[in-house]
Amino acid sequence: MTRRNQSLDLLRGLAILLVVLVHCQQESTGVVPGLSWFAKEYGELGVQLFFIVSGYTMMLTFGDRLDLAATRSFYLRRVFRIAPLFWIAIVFYLLVTKGQGTRNFAPDGVGVSDVLLTFFFLHWSSVTAYNSVVPGGWSIAVEMQFYLLFPLLISLFRRSANGPLLVYALIALVSVIGQFAADHYLIPRLAASLPASQAPLAEGFFYCWLPRQAICFGFGILLYDYIELKNRPTFGALLLLGASLSSAWGAEVALLAAFAFAVLISNVSMSWVGLFGRHSYAIYLIHFVVALAVAALFPMGLVPLFVLVFAVSLALSSYLIEPLIERRFNRLGHALASAGRAPKAVLTTS
């Protein structure tokens, strides 16, 4: 594994630490000055850091060619990386919630349509499904949507000298227009169509849609352009920065991208945080129920709860989920991709 790959794992490790921290803060007793505030205000940015790393990694691993074989290889590896564990999580959380789902996002419980939409990664299309069947599942839907678009984006990126600028302009435009449409039209309209008690779901729904989150992937592509290709995409950076500064949240994402840039350009590595990064997907899916269970059995403050939840989640990933599920399906996906004239790719953990 290269130093650059270790830096990517470091960023994933920091991202999962942030995500687990914010959910432990929600379940903990008492307040830890400073840390509780940080978790509440900035912990959720761990998901955006995942998206930035994902944009970078997709550029790194797609391969040299832009033909059907390259696209086939890309999708096989992505699907076998993401889908099997997510489908198992659907069954697991339906059992845990006795088929009701997460009531915060589906006050009346989930239905068959919500489960089917989630199974096919279409839960982004429904306000009752986008985050109710699998906690945190909204981010998986965003990833899958971007995967569908990515072969088109990388093709545009590589076709001409102006290709990268067109990609950055497109992402910036989608981000700005999408946020404007959501704030001034889509959110009020959806809120008005819901029962009064469920109206707040509208804002969360449009927070979790691709046009808002696309700027994160754009920054990941920009970092790849600068670090891996040794380019100086000044105009692209200005486009993405301008789009992100249209909101306070976007400014936070821009600062997050700057932090990721500093880590990647410095080849920073930290073995134990990198370990967290390599197990981040499984930890992401399982830590919700671990946090709820631990908090219910042993109410405690934020720090001990965070340490215990993270340790249990990491142990479940290391000794159960990764060796029995993730590793096997990852190998199958890579084997199927290689069988179909797979393109050369830079090896990385993704």
Side-chain angles (χ1 to χ4, degrees):
M1 180 177 290
T2 66
R3 293 279 292 177
R4 184 62 40 75
N5 290 337
Q6 291 174 358
S7 295
L8 289 168
D9 281 335
L10 171 63
L11 290 174
R12 291 190 189 95
L14 293 174
I16 194 60
L17 284 168
L18 286 173
V19 171
V20 175
L21 179 65
V22 69
H23 294 127
C24 286
Q25 182 271 328
Q26 294 168 358
E27 302 298 331
S28 65
T29 60
V31 174
V32 178
L35 183 60
S36 295
W37 169 83
F38 176 81
K40 184 177 180 181
E41 294 296 323
Y42 299 110
E44 290 183 353
L45 287 173
V47 175
Q48 281 70 52
L49 183 54
F50 274 127
F51 291 157
I52 292 171
V53 173
S54 183
Y56 191 106
T57 303
M58 279 186 273
M59 295 293 294
L60 198 62
T61 60
F62 188 86
D64 298 327
R65 294 193 294 270
L66 294 172
D67 54 17
L68 289 177
T71 302
R72 173 185 176 276
S73 175
F74 172 78
Y75 283 132
L76 282 171
R77 287 181 281 116
R78 290 292 88 196
V79 167
F80 278 89
R81 169 77 176 104
I82 299 297
L85 193 56
F86 186 71
W87 288 335
I88 292 171
I90 292 174
V91 176
F92 175 76
Y93 278 105
L94 286 175
L95 291 173
V96 168
T97 63
K98 299 179 180 179
Q100 296 300 303
T102 305
R103 287 302 187 102
N104 289 346
F105 298 95
D108 299 324
V110 298
V112 174
S113 63
D114 298 317
V115 176
L116 288 175
L117 287 172
T118 305
F119 181 86
F120 290 108
F121 301 99
L122 298 173
H123 45 300
W124 56 268
S125 64
S126 168
V127 71
T128 60
Y130 78 96
N131 203 41
S132 60
V133 178
V134 176
W138 71 269
S139 66
I140 311 302
V142 169
E143 282 273 354
M144 284 298 195
Q145 290 173 80
F146 197 80
Y147 292 161
L148 288 176
L149 297 174
F150 184 71
L152 298 176
L153 290 176
I154 196 171
S155 178
L156 179 61
F157 188 94
R158 294 179 178 177
R159 288 299 181 189
S160 68
N162 292 325
L165 185 60
L166 292 175
V167 170
Y168 302 133
L170 180 61
I171 292 175
L173 189 63
V174 167
S175 177
V176 171
I177 293 177
Q179 190 57 45
F180 180 85
D183 289 341
H184 297 279
Y185 178 70
L186 298 173
I187 291 175
R189 184 178 181 184
L190 178 58
S193 71
L194 296 171
S197 60
Q198 299 179 24
L201 291 175
E203 187 169 350
F205 179 75
F206 283 105
Y207 172 86
C208 298
W209 74 327
L210 179 60
R212 182 182 180 103
Q213 302 295 332
I215 194 74
C216 305
F217 297 98
F219 276 120
I221 295 171
L222 180 77
L223 297 186
Y224 168 86
D225 195 5
Y226 189 98
I227 295 171
E228 300 292 338
L229 300 183
K230 311 300 182 183
N231 293 323
R232 297 296 181 267
T234 303
F235 290 117
L238 290 174
L239 284 170
L240 294 180
L241 183 61
S244 65
L245 293 180
S246 62
S247 69
W249 175 84
E252 293 172 353
V253 170
L255 290 175
L256 196 64
F259 169 76
F261 172 78
V263 170
L264 290 166
I265 199 70
S266 302
N267 288 326
V268 177
S269 64
M270 193 176 297
S271 59
W272 55 279
V273 181
L275 174 67
F276 301 160
R278 292 190 292 276
H279 289 275
S280 58
Y281 183 43
I283 294 173
Y284 182 80
L285 291 177
I286 197 67
H287 82 275
F288 296 94
V289 72
V290 174
L292 287 171
V294 171
L297 292 172
F298 310 105
M300 62 184 74
L302 175 57
V303 173
L305 180 62
F306 171 70
V307 171
L308 185 55
V309 168
F310 201 92
V312 171
S313 300
L314 178 62
L316 287 171
S317 176
S318 299
Y319 296 105
L320 180 64
I321 300 172
E322 195 278 333
L324 297 182
I325 303 171
E326 282 193 284
R327 187 184 307 170
R328 296 181 180 184
F329 282 106
N330 279 337
R331 287 176 176 173
L332 178 58
H334 280 273
L336 291 173
S338 299
R341 198 167 62 90
K344 291 167 59 178
V346 180
L347 295 178
T348 185
T349 302
S350 59

